[in-house]
Amino acid sequence: MERLDDILGYKNLKIYQNSDFFSFSLDSIILANYAHIRLRDKSIVDLCSGNGIIPLILSRRTKNHIIGVEIQDKLAKLADKSVSYNGLSDQISIIQEDVKIFSKSHLNEFDLVLCNPPYFKVEENSTFNNSYEKTVARHEIFLSFSDLCSCAKQILKDNGNFCFVHRTDRLMEILFELKKNNLEPKKIKFIHETCENPSYLVLIEAQKCGKTGLSIEKPLIQYYSDGSMTEEYYLLQKEIMS
């Protein structure tokens, strides 16, 4: 069922979602706020854009043009509907296209590439959701992480940044693929549900043709053992809602 939702307290910013498809997650909101937008970053693209949550949030952080690329027609139409509803059609463009095809026609074009990609490989014992749209959003049906790194390399300008979120248990593979594509990891921030739990997500910023030099940032701990929100996570939520 299609509905019009608020985006975690952002004033006058709403998004169309459909419970039969894939609704945005907190991962995307954290990524959209984590990504550093430099003054020189004039061209920005969000790959695997889903229903457009990241471009919508980025529109509150920059006045520059933002492109969202989404392979699924139904999700791309929802994203475009949200862009129109919020009066952002002059700033945000939603393109319904395979990321691999998009990258071939936008070589060396972008200063900043963001992505909240499918997290799970397609394997013999993979369990899929009954919803095709949710399966494509969660599993590497059309785009593996290796493909994603190759595409990011193609569309980034030299010294352009690639910022994304992924599962921590794939970190070694992630670092290998980044290095293979001349995307130098610059910042890593681990996300933990509690301090007792291992990291389950990781935010990474890499730079095309960047110099070697990696910073492991202070981790984001979301909750104390009693279930209450940590101060850092509370401040992040407050920043998101301001």
Side-chain angles (χ1 to χ4, degrees), residues 30 79 98 133 149 174 194 242:
I30 291 174
D98 188 320
E133 288 79 13
C149 288
I174 288 167
T194 72
S242 62

Side-chain angles (χ1 to χ4, degrees), residues 30 34 38-39 46 71 120 167 173 175 182 204 214:
I30 291 174
Y34 174 77
R38 301 167 298 184
L39 290 177
D46 174 44
I71 192 172
F120 303 103
R167 287 179 59 88
E173 173 195 356
L175 295 177
N182 201 17
I204 299 179
L214 174 63

Side-chain angles (χ1 to χ4, degrees), residues 32-166:
N33 283 273
Y34 174 77
H36 177 55
I37 303 176
R38 301 167 298 184
L39 290 177
R40 67 182 182 184
D41 291 342
K42 306 300 182 184
S43 50
I44 302 171
V45 62
D46 174 44
L47 306 178
C48 307
S49 200
N51 58 3
I53 179 65
I54 289 178
L56 288 171
I57 293 176
L58 291 179
S59 73
R60 293 296 187 260
R61 299 189 55 208
T62 178
K63 297 299 181 183
N64 294 324
H65 190 249
I66 306 160
I67 294 175
V69 182
E70 171 53 46
I71 192 172
Q72 297 195 70
D73 181 65
K74 292 177 181 178
L75 281 174
K77 286 179 177 176
L78 271 185
D80 200 44
K81 190 173 180 179
S82 296
V83 169
S84 297
Y85 180 88
N86 289 285
L88 294 168
S89 298
D90 290 339
Q91 184 182 8
I92 299 175
S93 300
I94 301 297
I95 298 176
Q96 190 272 308
E97 192 169 45
D98 188 320
V99 167
K100 289 179 286 189
I101 296 174
F102 175 84
S103 65
K104 293 178 180 178
S105 57
H106 293 81
L107 300 178
N108 306 308
E109 185 173 320
F110 294 97
D111 299 301
L112 176 61
V113 174
L114 298 94
C115 188
N116 183 358
Y119 287 161
F120 303 103
K121 292 184 177 184
V122 177
E123 299 175 322
E124 190 174 338
N125 60 346
S126 294
T127 301
F128 299 124
N129 194 285
N130 290 332
S131 164
Y132 173 77
E133 288 79 13
K134 291 180 180 179
T135 294
V136 171
R138 292 171 177 166
H139 290 80
E140 296 178 339
I141 304 291
F142 295 113
L143 187 74
S144 68
F145 186 74
S146 180
D147 293 332
L148 175 60
C149 288
S150 176
C151 292
K153 177 185 177 181
Q154 291 179 66
I155 65 179
L156 275 170
K157 300 175 184 177
D158 286 352
N159 297 314
N161 285 340
F162 177 34
C163 194
F164 61 96
V165 60
H166 216 298

Side-chain angles (χ1 to χ4, degrees), residues 165-215:
V165 60
H166 216 298
R167 287 179 59 88
T168 307
D169 59 14
R170 293 186 64 178
L171 181 59
M172 295 307 296
E173 173 195 356
I174 288 167
L175 295 177
F176 173 80
E177 293 294 343
L178 289 173
K179 296 286 283 188
K180 186 175 77 173
N181 285 279
N182 201 17
L183 298 167
E184 186 65 32
K186 304 297 290 184
K187 295 193 302 182
I188 292 180
K189 187 178 184 73
F190 294 103
I191 301 174
H192 301 249
E193 187 174 8
T194 72
C195 61
E196 290 84 7
N197 296 121
S199 169
Y200 72 105
L201 288 177
V202 60
L203 294 157
I204 299 179
E205 181 183 273
Q207 189 173 76
K208 181 179 176 180
C209 303
K211 295 180 180 179
T212 302
L214 174 63
S215 172

